[in-house]
Each structure stands twice: as structure tokens, then as C-alpha cells.
Amino acid sequence: GQNIDQPTEMTATEGAIVQINCTYQTSGFNGLFWYQQHAGEAPTFLSYNVLDGLEEKGRFSSFLSRSKGYSYLLLKELQMKDSASYLCAVTRGGGYNKLIFGAGTRLAVHP
Amino acid sequence: DVKVTQSSRYLVKRTGEKVFLECVQDMDHENMFWYRQDPGLGLRLIYFSYDVKMKEKGDIPEGYSVSREKKERFSLILESASTNQTSMYLCASGLNSNQPQHFGDGTRLSIL
């Protein structure tokens, strides 16, 4: 079957570091995407991992282990504007850019 | 920047009505998608299209149909709206498996 798991909610303090985990089981895996979605807005692309390892992009980093079916999104120096849902999505077989999405992790950043 | 535009942000319709949701993208992407987003369930794929007049069912196609007469436009049709189709509908477009999908702002549809 195809399944993606991520925590439903997380809280963190402004200025801190938070790690959002994502585990997946899917056939036809090509890579894993992370999106950010503020309430009432469209998801926006954050990162894409296709090879094992860490991809760093400013305050945000994303890690992938293909053998373990595991990824995480690391957010450093948290700001209030980082309060949002974070969606993990993996490619599925059959091409055409099709994705399977996790239910999303709602992150609340407190002062 | 890729622009994906959905025709309405909010829409209220009645049970049994035929409802059209429109989506236009300006980046010449072959692939276009319709999702619905419900609390606790994430984004679920309804239909997608990989070329003009070509379409494939996603995970939850029942009660929906789609139309792609031009490359830039992908329409979602609720044949006879029901209350369980009240949801947020998101349209997206993309190039290939290594490229991100780009989303519209969504249409919050209420069926009364």
C-alpha cells in the first residue's frame, strides 16, 4: 500500500529549532517534497529530496533516507511567520508528476 | 513565476446543482491536477490531466468529472453536488516528477 505519516501538531518557541518527521511507504518512489501552507492559502514549495542526505536552504533543511523511508524538515531560528502547516509529499509510480500527500503537520510558534 | 488561478475563492451551491470549478495556469505545464483538502485527511487527488483532452482518475473520482479542452485550462465538474462534497478544492500544475507542483489559492466550496 501507499502511506505517509507525519505528526498532526507541533509547538515550538520563537528562535528555537524544530524537526518535523515524515515516514512513507510507497511504490514507484522518485523523491520527496515538502510544502508550507499558511491557513487559507495555497501550499508553496519548500524543498525536494531525491538522494539520501541533507539539503540546506537558508533556515530550512530537509533530509531523506530512502532505505528507511524517512524524511525530516528542520526549521532553524523559528519566526512567528513559520506558524503554518507543513506537508510531506512523495512521488508515486506512473509518472506524470503525481504525488501522495501526508495529512500535514500544523506548527504553532509561540513568543 | 508560475501563476495558477482558480476562478473563485468561495462558492456556495445547493444540493443537486451542477458545479464548475475553473483553473488556469500560465506556464505551459502538461500536467494539471485537482485535489480536495479536508481536515485530518490532507490533499487527496480527484483527477489529473497529462495533456489536452487526456485525463485519468485519481484516488477519489466518484461524483466528479473533468475537462481539458486547452492546455492552460483544467475544469472540475461536480455533476450533482452533494453535502459531502463541501471542501477546499485545490488546483495544481507541474512539469515532471522532479519538479514541484504549483498550486492555486483554492476554492472553498459549500454545498447546502
Side-chain angles (χ1 to χ4, degrees):
Chain A
Q2 303 184 94
N3 194 48
I4 299 179
D5 286 313
Q6 48 181 135
T8 304
E9 291 187 4
M10 298 182 73
T11 60
T13 305
E14 196 174 15
I17 299 172
V18 71
Q19 178 175 312
I20 301 174
N21 296 326
C22 172
T23 58
Y24 63 89
Q25 291 176 300
T26 184
S27 57
F29 178 84
N30 280 334
L32 186 145
F33 292 88
W34 283 97
Y35 285 84
Q36 180 190 59
Q37 186 179 25
H38 286 100
E41 297 184 11
T44 55
F45 168 70
L46 288 177
S47 68
Y48 176 55
N49 293 70
V50 62
L51 300 175
D52 285 356
L54 189 68
E55 295 275 345
E56 297 187 73
K57 200 184 283 186
R59 293 189 299 114
F60 292 6
S61 303
S62 56
F63 171 84
L64 176 67
S65 169
R66 296 175 70 112
S67 61
K68 294 181 179 177
Y70 168 69
S71 173
Y72 67 74
L73 180 69
L74 194 70
L75 291 75
K76 303 175 188 174
E77 300 169 17
L78 280 171
Q79 302 175 9
M80 298 297 290
K81 67 178 182 179
D82 297 330
S83 293
S85 289
Y86 292 86
L87 313 180
C88 172
V90 301
T91 55
R92 59 170 98 183
Y96 302 129
N97 192 214
K98 287 188 291 182
L99 297 175
I100 305 170
F101 282 84
T105 299
R106 191 161 55 249
L107 174 66
V109 180
H110 299 290
Chain B
D1 262 2
V2 176
K3 183 76 174 171
V4 179
T5 304
Q6 295 184 229
S7 52
S8 306
R9 288 300 303 271
Y10 301 94
L11 206 53
V12 179
K13 296 291 182 180
R14 298 210 171 271
T15 304
E17 282 192 70
K18 191 168 187 177
V19 181
F20 293 84
L21 302 183
E22 306 287 346
C23 175
V24 177
Q25 52 97 0
D26 66 358
M27 282 302 291
D28 205 35
H29 287 162
E30 283 80 17
N31 303 320
M32 295 189 73
F33 308 84
W34 275 106
Y35 297 91
R36 62 179 285 176
Q37 186 174 30
D38 300 290
L41 296 178
L43 274 74
R44 292 180 291 166
L45 182 64
I46 303 170
Y47 266 98
F48 74 99
S49 169
Y50 52 91
D51 203 348
V52 174
K53 296 190 186 298
M54 306 304 288
K55 61 187 178 184
E56 282 197 21
K57 294 179 180 179
D59 300 315
I60 50 165
E62 296 78 18
Y64 303 94
S65 62
V66 290
S67 172
R68 189 144 180 224
E69 295 298 317
K70 294 184 178 181
K71 191 173 187 179
E72 67 270 20
R73 186 178 297 270
F74 192 34
S75 303
L76 179 70
I77 304 152
L78 285 65
E79 297 290 345
S80 176
S82 63
T83 55
N84 63 12
Q85 292 179 308
T86 292
S87 187
M88 170 69 88
Y89 289 87
L90 287 161
C91 173
S93 72
L95 272 175
N96 57 51
S97 294
N98 295 321
Q99 299 295 321
Q101 293 182 15
H102 299 269
F103 287 84
D105 285 336
T107 296
R108 187 164 293 280
L109 175 65
S110 296
I111 307 296
L112 304 179

